[in-house]
Amino acid sequence: MISRKSEREITLMHEAGKLLASTHKEIAKMMKPGITTMEIDQFVEKYLAKHGATAEQKGYQGYPYATCASINDEICHGFPRNEPLEEGDIVTIDMVVKLNGALADSAWSYAVGEIDDEKQRLLNVTKTSLYKGIEQAVPGNRVGDIGHAIQSYVEGESFSVVREFTGHGIGESMHEEPSILHYGLPGKGPRLKEGMVITIEPMVNGGAWQSKMDDNGWTARTIDGELSAQYEHTIAITKEGPKILTEQE
Ligand code: MF3
Ligand code: CO
């Protein structure tokens, strides 16, 4: 069953999404060589508490932190750590905010200090691929239209799309139906309908798409040690088109 949300539910998720977006904008200001992802994680917990919200990831299926912080070849679910970030690193901060019972989910990749042109191209292509997916998130389209738009663009730029991790429906719980694959065929998969709320969150690798799992049972990294980036928004499907609930104005 794919749930469809009322206008009121979407408004509440949008409020959570606006707070999440403002959290990312604060993180962007902190993102300098020398800061640790643990400091960012602690900042996020305090910032959300100050705004009457909580970090839904903390304790979710035993996940220990408020944020996921995935550095360089880490694809997703990196643990925040006490080691300072270095000039030239790229890091993805992912979090789910709960405000007044409503959830929103958004990940953003950041450059630490100056990064080289190829790293910048990876970030640009990954972000653009997210927006190409979002364009397809309209009533009547199918989930495969989103995946196809992302995959064809990313592979055309000679990067690859991670297959093992997907976007998802989101509502009362963080992960609901349907799965949103970031690859696939147009016209395939569940049909998108007004009121559905989904995440689109392409993870794009500089090398091969395959991943391997760290011993902590959470963190996925690229199989070949190449870099990985990710951008994620929470999107409501409306008759006026895709409504991005986590947009950073
Ligand atoms: N925010 C992630 C997503 O986009 C979920 C992280 S898994 C967690 O689906 F368990 F760490 F929360
Ligand atoms: Co997320």
Side-chain angles (χ1 to χ4, degrees):
M1 245 302 280
I2 303 178
S3 75
R4 293 164 73 179
K5 280 78 181 171
S6 65
E7 262 181 54
R8 179 176 156 72
E9 285 169 308
I10 291 173
T11 301
L12 285 170
M13 293 179 85
H14 198 185
E15 292 306 317
K18 286 178 195 168
L19 177 60
L20 206 175
S22 79
T23 311
H24 271 306
K25 289 177 82 170
E26 293 299 319
I27 292 169
K29 293 186 223 160
M30 302 166 70
M31 199 54 88
K32 300 207 171 82
I35 192 163
T36 71
T37 47
M38 193 66 81
E39 288 169 314
I40 293 169
D41 191 77
Q42 284 162 359
F43 164 79
V44 166
E45 264 201 277
K46 280 200 214 105
Y47 185 82
L48 294 182
K50 193 171 91 187
H51 291 89
T54 53
E56 182 73 1
Q57 289 185 167
K58 193 160 183 170
Y60 178 84
Q61 293 185 1
Y63 186 77
Y65 300 102
T67 61
C68 298
S70 306
I71 303 168
N72 294 333
D73 67 326
E74 294 173 343
I75 294 170
C76 63
H77 307 160
F79 284 7
R81 50 190 192 234
N82 289 313
E83 202 176 309
L85 291 168
E86 289 176 13
E87 179 99 20
D89 285 340
I90 60 170
V91 53
T92 302
I93 306 292
D94 186 9
M95 72 191 100
V96 179
V97 168
K98 185 179 222 171
L99 178 65
N100 298 320
L103 298 176
D105 187 357
S106 176
W108 212 252
S109 285
Y110 297 91
V112 181
E114 292 285 318
I115 57 170
D116 69 29
D117 290 351
E118 190 59 7
K119 288 180 184 173
Q120 190 60 56
R121 196 174 76 85
L122 178 66
L123 297 185
N124 295 348
V125 167
T126 308
K127 192 196 283 185
T128 300
S129 80
L130 166 61
Y131 284 90
K132 287 189 183 283
I134 291 172
E135 270 174 32
Q136 299 297 320
V138 296
N141 266 6
R142 289 182 185 270
V143 167
D145 295 312
I146 296 173
H148 178 73
I150 292 169
Q151 183 183 17
S152 54
Y153 169 67
V154 167
E155 292 181 355
E157 295 290 332
S158 69
F159 293 135
S160 69
V161 176
V162 170
R163 314 282 165 100
E164 293 98 326
F165 301 92
T166 68
H168 48 88
I170 180 168
E172 285 183 7
S173 50
M174 189 195 299
H175 292 141
E176 297 185 352
E177 286 182 62
S179 288
I180 307 295
L181 278 58
H182 304 111
Y183 60 95
L185 297 172
K188 300 287 183 191
R191 200 179 283 284
L192 299 169
K193 294 185 181 146
E194 198 186 331
M196 290 180 184
V197 181
I198 60 170
T199 72
I200 303 178
E201 46 181 303
M203 286 143 274
V204 173
N205 295 351
W209 60 262
Q210 285 88 353
S211 62
K212 59 188 180 208
M213 181 65 71
D214 278 7
D215 290 340
N216 67 16
W218 278 100
T219 308
R221 63 180 71 236
T222 59
I223 198 148
D224 51 14
E226 297 289 332
L227 300 173
S228 188
Q230 181 184 26
Y231 292 86
E232 171 185 23
H233 276 312
T234 298
I235 296 118
I237 315 291
T238 79
K239 54 179 181 300
E240 290 82 34
K243 186 177 171 82
I244 303 174
L245 304 183
T246 47
E247 190 74 292
Q248 298 170 34
E249 318 276 281

